[in-house]
Amino acid sequence: MSTLLEVNNLKTYFFRKKEPIPAVDGVDFHISKGETVALVGESGSGKSITSLSIMGLVQSSGGKIMDGSIKLEDKDLTSFTENDYCKIRGNEVSMIFQEPMTSLNPVLTIGEQITEVLIYHKNMKKKEARQRAVELLQMVGFSRAEQIMKEYPHRLSGGMRQRVMIAIALSCNPKLLIADEPTTALDVTIQAQVLELMKDLCQKFNTSILLITHDLGVVSEAADRVIVMYCGQVVENATVDDLFLEPLHPYTEGLLTSIPVIDGEIDKLNAIKGSVPTPDNLPPGCRFAPRCPKAMDKCWTNQPSLLTHKSGRTVRCFLYEEEGAEQS
Amino acid sequence: MAAYIIRRTLMSIPILLGITILSFVIMKAAPGDPMTLMMDPKISQADREQFIEKYGLNDPQYVQYLKWLGNMVQGDFGTSIVRKGTPVSELIMARLPNTLLLMLVSTILALMISIPFGVLSAKRPYSKIDYGITFTSFIGLAIPNFWFGLILIMVLSVNLGWFPTGGVETLNTEFNIFDRIHHLILPAFVLATADMAGLTRYTRSNMLDVLNQDYIRTARAKGFKENRVLFKHGLRNALLPVITIFGLMIPSFIGGSVVVEQIFTWPGLGKLFVDSAFQRDYPVIMAMTVISAVLVVVGNLIADILYAIVDPRIEY
C-alpha cells in the first residue's frame, strides 16, 4: 500500500501572552491509501489539534504550526497558502465533526449545503449538483432523499444530521476523511450504524480515514491501525490486533484496563491515577511518568524517544530500550 | 403565515385604541387651549363661546373622544383648529411623503453602513480596525443629533458650501432628482447616526458569536474562502437578532425625525407635530399620534414576519 499522508515531527503551538504552549509536540505518523487509522488519547492529548493542523484550520482557532511537515501524496501542506488550502479542503481532505447538532448551518437547506460544495469544487451546474446530492443522500441511507434536500437541519435528528455531514464530506470523493469523534454525540444504537456507513462508503470510494476517538470500542470495530497520543506526543503505534492483545506502553495498558468489562465481576473500575498535565506545565522527563505504575528513576529526568520495537511497532518508553530496540 | 398576520393585525387594534385614549387624556390634561393662543384678546365673550361650541370643546371629554374616534374610523381626522378649518388629512398628506422618504432613506443608509462595518469589526476583533469602528460608533451614539446636524450645516453647508442648508429642493426650480438627493443627504445621514452606531455594535457582537459556531468551522472545512464563510454562512445567522432590534428602532426614527426636520427645515410631519403641540391643535395632535402608533405597530409586524422568513426554525 502506498502512503497517502505522512506527518513528520509536527509541532503546533498555541500562544498565551506570547508564551508558547505545545499542544502538538513532534508527532510522526503516516496513513496508507485506503487505510483506517485511529488516533486515540484522553481529552487534551492533542488529537483534535493534529487533525485541525492537517486541515489547515488551526490558524483560525489561534494556533500555529511551528515545525514539521504534513505531506499529502507529494504535496507539502505546511507550505500551502490559504488559497491553495481552499482547493484541498472539502475536496481532497474533508472532515466530519463531533457535534452533528450544531455543525450544519441552521438557515440553509440540506440540499443547499451539499450542492454548494459540488458547485464550488467540482464546477458542477446547479442541476447536476442537485442530482449528485440526491444520490449522496440515498447513499448515506435516506430513502426520501428528494424531500430531505428541502429540509432544514432542525427537522433532522442527530444521527440523520451526522449522515448528512458524511454525505457532505464524501461529496467530492476525498482521498482522506478526518472523522473527529464522529459518534461521540450519538446514541449507542446509532453509533454503530454511522460507523459502519462511514467504513462502507470509504471502502467504496477508496478513501483513507483518520478516526479520532477516545472510545476504544469504536477503535476495535473500525480501525486497521492505532496511534496512541499522550500530551501532544505519539506514545504507541500498532495494528489494532497487536495493540489489544499486547499493549506495550504503560499508558495504553492503562487505557485498555480502564474499559469496564460487563461479564467480569469487579468491584472497582480501573482508572489511570491522576490527570493529564496541561501543556503549559509538562513534567521534565517522560510526560507519563507521574501517572505511570512502572516509572523508573530515569523516567523522571530523561525524555524517552520513539523506539521501534522488535515486532516492528513503535513505542515511546524506556522499558523497551534494553530489549535491543533501536531508536527510530 | 397568513393566519399569523391576520391575528397580529387584529391584536394591534386594542393597542392602537389604548394609545389614542392615553394621548387624548394627556393632551386634554395639559394646560392651555387653542383659543387663548390664537384669538384676538379683545374678542367678545359671545364670539368666543360660539367658537368653542363650533369645535365641540364644551362636550364632556369622553363624548369628545368618542366623536373623534367615530370620525377617525371613517377616515375623517377633522379640521385643524388653529389653521382655520383646513382638513387635518390635507395637512398631513402634504407632509407625510417627505417624512416617509426621509425615514426610508436613513433606514437604508443605516443598514448599508452599519452591517458591513459590524462584519469588518467582527472579522478581526480587537484589531486597529475594530477599535476604530468601535470608537466611532460610540461617538455616534453619544452625539445628540440636533448638535451634529447643526455642526454639519455649519461646516459642510455654510463654510464649504457642499450641501444646501435645508429644505427638500431648491426653490423656484423644476423637479430634479439630483437636486432632491442633494438635499436629502445631510438630514438622512444625521437621522441615521444614532441607530447606525447601535446597529454596528449589535452586528459586531452577533457576528462574533456566530463565527465561533460549529457550522462556521464546517463551512471552513468545505474549503470556502473567508468572505464566503463570513457573508454566506455567517451574516444571515448574525442578522436574525438584528431584525428584532431594528423593529424596536422605528420609534427612535420617528422621534429623531421631529428634531432633524426642525434643524433642516424639512417640511415633514415632525415640524407640524411640534407646532400643533405648542398650539394645542387637538385634531392634528391626535392624527399624528395615530400615524406614529400605526408606523410602530406595522414596523414591528414587518420585523416579525421578516424574522420568520429568514429563520426557518420559526413557524407561525
Side-chain angles (χ1 to χ4, degrees):
Chain A
M1 271 193 286
S2 56
T3 305
L4 174 74
L5 180 87
E6 197 173 346
V7 176
N8 274 318
N9 193 30
L10 178 70
K11 291 186 178 176
T12 304
Y13 289 7
F14 283 75
F15 292 88
R16 189 193 291 148
K17 290 180 188 148
K18 304 249 158 96
E19 199 67 14
I21 297 165
V24 175
D25 202 10
V27 162
D28 306 274
F29 67 91
H30 75 276
I31 299 174
S32 303
K33 281 190 180 140
E35 191 184 24
T36 299
V37 174
L39 203 54
V40 183
E42 282 169 278
S43 306
S45 57
K47 336 180 273 286
S48 290
I49 302 302
T50 304
S51 66
L52 288 179
S53 302
I54 298 168
M55 284 295 279
L57 287 173
V58 80
Q59 287 87 352
S60 60
S61 42
K64 193 164 186 266
I65 296 176
M66 306 299 290
D67 198 9
S69 66
I70 301 168
K71 275 209 180 105
L72 182 73
E73 292 179 319
D74 50 352
K75 294 165 288 216
D76 185 3
L77 300 185
T78 45
S79 68
F80 267 32
T81 63
E82 180 59 24
N83 264 346
D84 295 335
Y85 244 125
C86 283
K87 291 183 194 114
I88 297 260
R89 257 185 237 136
N91 191 12
E92 290 182 37
V93 183
S94 57
M95 192 159 177
I96 304 171
F97 298 98
Q98 185 176 356
E99 305 85 2
M101 298 309 279
T102 50
S103 289
L104 289 166
N105 194 327
V107 299
L108 300 176
T109 58
I110 300 297
E112 171 74 28
Q113 298 191 53
I114 305 177
T115 50
E116 64 173 356
V117 194
L118 293 165
I119 295 168
Y120 182 78
H121 285 301
K122 299 288 179 205
N123 295 320
M124 283 191 186
K125 294 266 178 310
K126 214 167 187 156
K127 218 174 144 191
E128 205 185 343
R130 262 195 63 85
Q131 238 166 19
R132 176 79 184 131
V134 172
E135 277 170 36
L136 281 162
L137 283 175
Q138 281 161 348
M139 236 182 268
V140 294
F142 287 102
S143 49
R144 343 169 266 130
E146 286 283 351
Q147 276 146 288
I148 296 292
M149 291 286 285
K150 292 183 211 114
E151 290 287 10
Y152 288 95
H154 70 278
R155 302 277 208 112
L156 308 184
S157 70
M160 289 161 99
R161 288 188 214 187
Q162 196 63 303
R163 281 188 278 151
V164 171
M165 285 298 290
I166 293 174
I168 292 173
L170 295 180
S171 59
C172 296
N173 296 1
K175 293 172 180 147
L176 175 66
L177 174 71
I178 301 177
D180 189 353
E181 311 215 10
T183 55
T184 307
L186 300 176
D187 270 336
V188 191
T189 45
I190 309 291
Q191 279 186 8
Q193 254 182 46
V194 167
L195 218 56
E196 204 160 305
L197 180 73
M198 211 170 72
K199 284 277 312 183
D200 280 356
L201 289 176
C202 284
Q203 230 149 35
K204 205 182 275 174
F205 290 126
N206 197 25
T207 298
S208 306
I209 305 178
L210 178 60
L211 180 67
I212 294 162
T213 181
H214 52 238
D215 185 340
L216 290 165
V218 169
V219 173
S220 66
E221 210 170 304
D224 302 322
R225 198 152 49 81
V226 190
I227 295 161
V228 183
M229 274 186 83
Y230 187 77
C231 284
Q233 292 178 327
V234 174
V235 294
E236 186 161 359
N237 185 341
T239 62
V240 173
D241 295 341
D242 285 350
L243 189 100
F244 277 86
L245 275 176
E246 189 201 355
L248 292 182
H249 199 280
Y251 177 60
T252 317
E253 207 181 330
L255 282 181
L256 289 173
T257 48
S258 304
I259 307 172
V261 187
I262 295 173
D263 47 6
E265 280 206 19
I266 353 165
D267 301 329
K268 210 171 138 203
L269 209 55
N270 278 313
I272 305 173
K273 63 175 183 183
S275 57
V276 189
T278 51
D280 54 345
N281 187 24
L282 293 170
C286 171
R287 292 178 179 179
F288 188 59
R291 303 174 70 189
C292 184
K294 296 175 181 166
M296 303 171 285
D297 285 347
K298 66 172 167 186
C299 296
W300 295 93
T301 48
N302 298 338
Q303 280 214 33
S305 49
L306 207 57
L307 305 164
T308 306
H309 187 249
K310 56 186 173 206
S311 56
R313 305 157 57 178
T314 52
V315 58
R316 189 186 293 274
C317 185
F318 287 126
L319 282 175
Y320 303 96
E321 218 172 21
E322 297 91 53
E323 294 180 23
E326 53 184 85
Q327 289 203 357
S328 68
Chain B
M1 183 70 105
Y4 173 77
I5 295 173
I6 292 167
R7 201 166 63 231
R8 273 292 300 265
T9 314
L10 290 178
M11 253 163 61
S12 56
I13 291 174
I15 297 173
L16 290 174
L17 218 60
I19 292 172
T20 57
I21 293 174
L22 264 178
S23 331
F24 196 84
V25 171
I26 293 170
M27 180 181 77
K28 287 289 178 182
D33 59 67
M35 278 62 71
T36 26
L37 267 164
M38 59 176 287
M39 299 245 147
D40 187 344
K42 283 177 261 170
I43 191 173
S44 73
Q45 192 60 27
D47 284 350
R48 190 186 159 81
E49 256 149 40
Q50 190 203 344
F51 182 87
I52 289 175
E53 192 57 44
K54 181 183 162 199
Y55 283 97
L57 297 172
N58 268 341
D59 298 334
Q61 281 193 8
Y62 72 91
V63 176
Q64 286 185 37
Y65 174 75
L66 289 176
K67 266 190 190 165
W68 172 82
L69 189 66
N71 289 333
M72 192 270 283
V73 171
Q74 297 166 45
D76 177 12
F77 283 101
T79 52
S80 165
I81 299 175
V82 178
R83 287 161 210 254
K84 303 280 160 35
T86 320
V88 173
S89 48
E90 206 172 279
L91 283 172
I92 286 175
M93 284 322 290
R95 292 166 177 78
L96 185 64
N98 282 335
T99 295
L100 286 181
L101 178 72
L102 181 64
M103 279 172 54
L104 189 75
V105 170
S106 61
T107 304
I108 294 170
L109 207 63
L111 291 175
M112 266 172 40
I113 294 176
S114 56
I115 291 172
F117 275 107
V119 173
L120 205 64
S121 228
K123 192 176 168 184
R124 306 209 186 297
Y126 311 110
S127 64
K128 284 198 181 99
I129 295 174
D130 181 28
Y131 282 125
I133 291 171
T134 302
F135 183 73
T136 318
S137 328
F138 277 120
I139 290 183
L141 272 176
I143 291 180
N145 54 16
F146 68 88
W147 183 83
F148 188 48
L150 288 176
I151 294 293
L152 285 185
I153 290 175
M154 197 180 88
V155 177
L156 298 181
S157 306
V158 178
N159 293 354
L160 294 170
W162 291 352
F163 293 100
T165 54
V168 275
E169 58 188 336
T170 313
L171 292 173
N172 303 320
T173 53
E174 291 205 1
F175 177 83
N176 177 338
I177 185 86
F178 296 108
D179 182 50
R180 286 293 193 106
I181 294 172
H182 196 206
H183 279 78
L184 192 56
I185 294 172
L186 278 192
F189 184 71
V190 171
L191 183 56
T193 42
D195 290 318
M196 210 147 68
L199 279 174
T200 307
R201 299 292 301 153
Y202 213 76
T203 309
R204 175 188 183 270
S205 69
N206 281 316
M207 196 70 187
L208 272 182
D209 210 40
V210 165
L211 289 182
N212 280 323
Q213 299 290 321
D214 292 331
Y215 53 81
I216 294 297
R217 191 182 51 187
T218 306
R220 291 211 170 99
K222 283 175 173 177
F224 295 149
K225 302 230 163 75
E226 192 61 16
N227 277 341
R228 184 174 175 144
V229 172
L230 282 177
F231 288 99
K232 184 168 179 195
H233 288 265
L235 191 60
R236 229 180 118 180
N237 285 288
L239 283 186
L240 294 177
V242 175
I243 293 172
T244 310
I245 289 295
F246 192 72
L248 297 174
M249 279 179 176
I250 295 169
S252 87
F253 268 108
I254 296 172
S257 72
V258 172
V259 176
V260 170
E261 285 178 9
Q262 285 281 356
I263 292 171
F264 288 94
T265 55
W266 189 263
L269 287 178
K271 202 161 155 23
L272 178 69
F273 196 15
V274 176
D275 291 345
S276 312
F278 280 127
Q279 295 162 342
R280 305 285 185 272
D281 199 343
Y282 298 136
V284 182
I285 300 176
M286 285 310 289
M288 295 287 306
T289 311
V290 172
I291 288 172
S292 358
V294 167
L295 276 181
V296 172
V297 169
V298 169
N300 277 295
L301 179 64
I302 292 174
D304 282 351
I305 293 170
L306 266 182
Y307 203 107
I309 292 173
V310 185
D311 189 347
R313 284 164 296 185
I314 307 282
E315 275 169 42
Y316 292 124

